[in-house]
Amino acid sequence: MDIAVIGSNMVDLITYTNSMPKAGETLEAPDFALGCGGKGANQAVAAAKLGAAVMMVSKVGEDLFAENTVKNLQQFGVETRHVTVAAGTSSGVAPIFVDDQSQNRILIIKGANAHLSQADIDAAAADLKRCRLMVLQLEIPLPTVYYAIDFARQNDIQVILNPAPAVAGLDIDYACQCDFFMPNETELEILTGLPVGSEEEVLRAGQMLLARGLKNLIITLGSRGSVWMQGDTVHRFSPTPVKAVDTSGAGDAFIGCFAHCLVEHGDIARAMESASAYAACSVTGRGTQRSYPDADTFHRFLNA
């Protein structure tokens, strides 16, 4: 197995609207879609679509969404033997609102994801030990994230930590044990308390985290591209220009592609370039996982 994703799954409830309602206002929206999402599941699907062998450790609820969530992961080739039911809970859901400028606003209800525990990692230990890379996010309990990082270190598994959604109380000492720490600009602002409106401010905030001992800091900046910071070295990567339709899940597409490339060839700069292009390709379609291209589609996009 190449990659283990220990994280969340969500049911995406996507509303496409021409404008956001004001307080107390009711508006008619032109379109709606139901999809599978969650940062963990998104990243697992993106990597699997590109050809990586991916296993997922996650929780679903005891409801009508659970079976569909598992089948969805399986259809993309994600190994689901460690996706289990949290009895008496709902599955995680994410109401998503996308405006006519392709900007999204998202609420998450963790549901079963809040019940992913250290015991679930222990139950998956034999399979996890065979993985080369572990990918983590923060839509599951922090103690479970920390336990997973300890497990990875004890078993010489590389770790990507995507601090999303950002938690100001995240233990940076644990982040420093990870090989790659991958926030977006908003998460960087929350974690550091510093402004990130300009590139200079982004780099200043990044240096603050690097000073704490981070190994590799990768910051995704949406339409401004991405940055890889390591020690005193800064590598800038330009965005791939596209006409965006829906930016939901673009950050997860980036991380999933980066993870795939990392286990495939290990070249960080090449992985950054591929991830940037993959995320750009994803925003040309609607939804999250459904907008992620497979390897053939991505190859055509790169050569168009």
Side-chain angles (χ1 to χ4, degrees):
M1 195 65 65
D2 294 329
I3 299 167
V5 178
I6 300 176
S8 62
N9 65 84
M10 295 278 180
V11 177
D12 289 342
L13 310 169
I14 310 167
T15 299
Y16 295 93
T17 180
N18 295 324
S19 61
M20 296 293 174
K22 300 174 184 176
E25 181 183 19
T26 300
L27 294 176
E28 180 179 351
D31 204 1
F32 173 81
L34 182 69
C36 293
K39 293 184 184 300
N42 287 348
Q43 293 166 18
V45 166
K49 276 190 164 187
L50 288 169
V54 183
M55 64 172 283
M56 179 119 197
V57 181
S58 191
K59 285 286 189 189
V60 292
E62 195 172 30
D63 57 21
L64 56 85
F65 291 129
E67 184 178 358
N68 184 62
T69 295
V70 173
K71 285 183 176 178
N72 178 74
L73 290 168
Q74 291 172 343
Q75 77 170 351
F76 294 122
V78 177
E79 169 57 57
T80 61
R81 76 183 69 180
H82 298 294
V83 179
T84 55
V85 174
T89 67
S90 69
S91 294
V93 296
I96 301 172
F97 304 89
V98 183
D99 66 20
D100 57 1
Q101 302 299 310
S102 300
Q103 295 301 306
N104 62 73
R105 293 169 174 82
I106 304 173
L107 298 171
I108 63 168
I109 298 91
K110 288 185 177 180
N113 296 298
H115 296 268
L116 190 66
S117 69
Q118 299 172 7
D120 294 301
I121 294 173
D122 289 338
D127 291 326
L128 289 172
K129 288 177 181 178
R130 290 193 283 269
C131 294
R132 298 164 58 194
L133 176 66
M134 181 182 291
V135 183
L136 298 161
Q137 323 76 31
L138 303 184
E139 286 180 335
I140 60 174
L142 276 177
T144 306
V145 173
Y146 298 154
Y147 191 78
I149 293 170
D150 285 335
F151 180 94
R153 292 278 67 83
Q154 292 161 11
N155 291 282
D156 296 320
I157 303 167
Q158 282 194 302
V159 180
I160 292 173
L161 176 57
N162 169 220
V167 178
L170 177 68
D171 188 337
I172 297 299
D173 289 338
Y174 267 101
C176 291
Q177 295 180 45
C178 301
D179 298 276
F180 298 91
F181 190 65
M182 300 180 68
N184 65 20
E185 56 197 311
T186 302
E187 292 149 3
L188 180 65
E189 183 175 28
I190 292 170
L191 291 166
T192 63
L194 297 176
V196 293
S198 66
E199 181 179 317
E200 182 180 353
E201 289 174 338
V202 166
L203 297 181
R204 185 180 301 120
Q207 287 295 345
M208 176 182 173
L209 290 180
L210 286 172
R212 297 285 302 275
L214 289 180
K215 299 172 185 175
N216 293 282
L217 174 61
I218 293 174
I219 308 163
T220 54
L221 302 169
S223 62
R224 291 193 286 165
S226 55
V227 175
W228 166 31
M229 302 176 70
Q230 182 186 52
D232 295 326
T233 305
V234 176
H235 305 267
R236 297 171 178 82
F237 298 86
S238 299
T240 302
V242 292
K243 181 175 175 56
V245 172
D246 181 356
T247 59
S248 303
D252 296 331
F254 184 102
I255 290 169
C257 180
F258 180 87
H260 160 70
C261 293
L262 193 66
V263 297
E264 183 178 56
H265 55 66
D267 186 319
I268 298 172
R270 278 178 60 199
M272 291 283 292
E273 291 169 353
S274 294
S276 181
Y278 191 81
C281 184
S282 79
V283 305
T284 63
R286 283 186 167 187
T288 50
Q289 296 171 23
R290 73 183 68 185
S291 73
Y292 298 166
D294 59 19
D296 289 341
T297 304
F298 185 44
H299 180 76
R300 289 194 297 270
F301 174 80
L302 292 174
N303 291 281

